[in-house]
Amino acid sequence: MPLVKYAALPTARMSIFYAASVYRDLAVIDFSTNGHGLYNYGHLLRLQPFFPDNAAARIFSTHITEVDIALGDRSRLDNAIREAVEAGFRHILLMPSSIAAVLGFDLESDAVRLSRDFGVDVFTVPAGLNTDFYAGQTAFLLAMSRHFCGDGNGAHRDYQLLGGAPSLQARRSHDALSALLKDRLGLACGFDSLNATSVEDWAHANDAEISIVTAQSAVPTARHLQEKYGIPYCFACGLGRSAEEKFLEQVGNDLNTSMGITALYDGMKAKVNDATKLAIL
């Protein structure tokens, strides 16, 4: 009996595609053949609550052909960038693809050249053909932090949240966590990677007092921000009162906040429970 494969395992490329799709001001250009990215588009329906507009309007394909590949013709890529610029995009993600990987295209060099020629911000995310979905999340978050964070503006917001894959469940969990920190410690969130809808939002990821990480794929980004900007990080995972208390005490200690954490718990329990219910609806 032959081996039957009913579905492809999620790849790093697919993960990058999903994560990039939530940014309203980011054009995604697939340097590949016509139809190469069609398997990705169905997932946009599950991400649709993120979008106030049509996400497909931000996704372009170069539609290269066998002749283009044989002759080394890159004009379709230039045309795709030109169309994106004419559509008003100033930030463009050049998607990694199997064709580019097999043929040895240097997408980072292409991004530099295209940025220079068209006067816009073109970048790519490194991803191998054999890397998995979570490696794609990791690479995308790290690329966003390296590419769009400046040198810090001295605002020093209380904290920021760094999460993994964009989903309604993860987004609501971040909302509940923000409500908890606001109610219990009086802290305001300066940046939330799961609620960011513009690449410009990442400019605020370098001025927080602490990074709160909610997914393993965001750890390299937190480490990068710590090494470059001196921002410490900790983990958050809502596993009940005990874990919640430990997390709040850790954040309080990191921010030099001296508060009676346990004494405050009962008074705020109803609000925390309401936020937690919202997170799991």
Side-chain angles (χ1 to χ4, degrees):
M1 180 177 178
L3 178 65
V4 178
K5 190 172 185 180
Y6 292 100
L9 293 175
T11 64
R13 169 185 158 83
M14 295 167 69
S15 178
I16 294 169
F17 182 90
Y18 301 158
S21 299
V22 303
Y23 292 91
R24 299 187 186 98
D25 52 354
L26 179 63
V28 179
I29 291 186
D30 192 10
F31 187 19
S32 188
T33 57
N34 186 16
H36 189 203
L38 288 179
Y39 62 86
N40 290 313
Y41 300 154
H43 187 76
L44 291 179
L45 296 177
R46 293 189 287 276
L47 289 176
Q48 194 62 38
F50 279 102
F51 305 136
D53 53 1
N54 183 12
R58 300 190 291 274
I59 300 167
F60 301 82
S61 175
T62 56
H63 297 346
I64 59 176
T65 66
E66 293 85 348
V67 175
D68 298 326
I69 295 173
L71 299 179
D73 186 358
R74 311 294 270 271
S75 61
R76 290 181 187 265
L77 174 59
D78 289 50
N79 289 337
I81 297 291
R82 183 177 295 105
E83 290 181 18
V85 172
E86 291 173 352
F89 291 101
R90 308 299 299 172
H91 306 287
I92 300 172
L93 170 62
L94 186 56
M95 276 287 294
S97 70
S98 57
I99 291 179
V102 170
L103 297 179
F105 293 164
D106 188 348
L107 295 185
E108 292 188 4
S109 296
D110 284 329
V112 172
R113 175 183 65 82
L114 293 167
S115 296
R116 180 187 66 245
D117 292 348
F118 290 94
V120 294
D121 178 28
V122 183
F123 71 104
T124 188
V125 178
L129 293 178
N130 296 323
T131 49
D132 61 20
F133 190 89
Y134 295 101
Q137 290 179 12
T138 300
F140 181 80
L141 289 170
L142 191 57
M144 293 295 284
S145 66
R146 286 176 171 172
H147 197 72
F148 293 108
C149 287
D151 295 327
N153 55 23
H156 297 297
R157 294 168 174 82
D158 290 336
Y159 71 93
Q160 59 193 10
L161 293 173
L162 301 177
S167 69
L168 288 179
Q169 181 181 6
R171 191 177 186 182
R172 287 175 175 174
S173 294
H174 272 206
D175 291 341
L177 186 57
S178 295
L180 177 67
L181 290 167
K182 180 67 174 178
D183 289 341
R184 298 290 303 283
L185 298 179
L187 302 178
C189 182
F191 170 71
D192 183 348
S193 68
L194 293 183
N195 281 294
T197 56
S198 168
V199 297
E200 303 295 341
D201 293 340
W202 278 90
H204 301 297
N206 57 7
D207 51 22
E209 295 290 341
I210 186 173
S211 297
I212 298 175
V213 181
T214 61
Q216 286 292 330
S217 55
V219 172
T221 297
R223 289 175 177 165
H224 166 70
L225 295 174
Q226 182 181 50
E227 293 171 359
K228 186 169 184 179
Y229 303 106
I231 303 173
Y233 68 93
C234 66
F235 296 92
C237 184
L239 296 176
R241 174 171 176 172
S242 178
E244 200 172 80
E245 293 299 317
K246 183 177 180 180
F247 162 69
L248 289 171
E249 289 178 0
Q250 181 179 1
V251 173
N253 290 334
D254 287 340
L255 294 177
N256 295 318
T257 302
S258 178
M259 301 181 66
I261 298 298
T262 303
L264 288 175
Y265 184 88
D266 292 334
M268 303 308 301
K269 186 175 181 180
K271 292 183 180 180
V272 174
N273 285 341
D274 289 342
T276 302
K277 289 177 182 177
L278 288 175
I280 61 177
L281 287 179

